[in-house]
Amino acid sequence: KNEVEQSPQNLTAQEGEFITINCSYSVGISALHWLQQHPGGGIVSLFMLSSGKKKHGRLIATINIQEKHSSLHITASHPRDSAVYICATTRGSTLGRLYFGRGTQLTVWP
Amino acid sequence: NAGVTQTPKFRILKIGQSMTLQCAQDMNHNYMYWYRQDPGMGLKLIYYSVGAGITDKGEVPNGYNVSRSTTEDFPLRLELAAPSQTSVYFCASSHLRDVSYEQYFGPGTRLTVT
């Protein structure tokens, strides 16, 4: 069993819809990372958070440490948000290496 | 800053051939990593390094070797290519910020072994 689980695996939305991607983890972490991978493959870090909530433009990431759960929200989704969103964790003892979920493929239609 | 750079972008190898995937970063990060990404699977750690001269195995090191002679460079060597090594390879670097490590990825190398 992967220690970082994401859902859903695939998500299709209409432009303008509110999107939520969920991530749960089983091992204690120092931080949770949300990454974005566009077609063409490059991976970009969106958020790194260890508590509470962070916002960047239309993207919001939240984490509940007690429940070992994080969500990534996209408000007013747009076709350019179509990408794979990857949840990953780091632990204090393992020097920045990431433990990855399998990713969520998001497709936003105009 | 160029960030993390990788070469080549694409490569086709025959079974048994060798090659080196190059990775460099200009951010003076101590921590560097090699990951592979297979379709439908999460990225897996191959090797990592915490500084020049120090490397260690990740989850899937078999068939690979690394070296870290400088802070900037972290090449990945495939000695005897096998079809199971067909994958997309990402190099990454990180630095400590607040309580954890902020991550920077290279653009990836798509390798096919036939």
Side-chain angles (χ1 to χ4, degrees), chain A residues 3 5-6 10 13-14 17-18 23-25 30 35 44-45 48 51 60 73-75 78 86 88 103 105-106:
Chain A
E3 61 184 69
E5 295 285 347
Q6 278 185 246
N10 293 285
Q14 209 66 34
E17 286 184 358
F18 182 83
C23 177
S24 60
Y25 55 92
S30 59
L35 311 169
V44 174
S45 178
M48 180 178 77
S51 64
I60 303 165
H73 305 287
I74 305 175
T75 61
H78 190 275
I86 302 170
Q105 173 70 61
L106 171 66

Side-chain angles (χ1 to χ4, degrees), chain A residues 36-87:
Chain A
Q36 181 190 57
Q37 185 173 27
H38 271 286
I43 299 173
V44 174
S45 178
L46 296 174
F47 295 103
M48 180 178 77
L49 65 164
S50 55
S51 64
K53 176 176 165 178
K54 287 193 176 180
K55 185 174 189 288
H56 181 69
R58 295 178 295 104
L59 273 61
I60 303 165
T62 64
I63 188 168
N64 184 317
I65 296 292
Q66 286 74 28
E67 294 186 5
K68 293 188 169 64
H69 181 269
S70 175
S71 293
L72 177 69
H73 305 287
I74 305 175
T75 61
S77 59
H78 190 275
R80 65 174 174 267
D81 297 325
S82 298
V84 176
Y85 292 85
I86 302 170
C87 172

Side-chain angles (χ1 to χ4, degrees), chain B:
Chain B
N1 284 355
V4 180
T5 57
Q6 289 183 240
T7 56
K9 286 189 167 51
F10 304 94
R11 184 73 186 267
I12 299 174
L13 278 184
K14 292 192 186 309
I15 295 171
Q17 285 185 322
S18 302
M19 78 164 295
T20 299
L21 281 64
Q22 301 291 346
C23 174
Q25 52 92 11
D26 61 358
M27 297 172 283
N28 203 34
H29 289 171
N30 282 328
Y31 304 109
M32 295 187 74
Y33 318 86
W34 274 105
Y35 297 100
R36 60 177 285 174
Q37 184 179 40
D38 299 318
M41 306 296 291
L43 287 91
K44 302 282 187 197
L45 180 68
I46 305 171
Y47 270 95
Y48 66 100
S49 170
V50 301
I54 307 169
T55 62
D56 208 347
K57 296 177 181 178
E59 298 171 79
V60 289
N62 290 346
Y64 307 95
N65 276 302
V66 293
S67 59
R68 184 99 181 268
S69 57
T70 66
T71 300
E72 293 78 20
D73 299 299
F74 190 39
L76 178 72
R77 178 88 180 153
L78 282 71
E79 289 295 347
L80 290 169
S84 60
Q85 294 177 304
T86 295
S87 190
V88 182
Y89 292 83
F90 289 96
C91 179
S93 70
S94 72
H95 71 120
L96 187 61
R97 182 170 74 86
D98 298 330
V99 298
S100 191
Y101 297 83
E102 191 163 36
Q103 309 280 328
Y104 298 81
F105 285 83
T109 294
R110 187 174 295 273
L111 175 67
T112 302
V113 182
T114 62

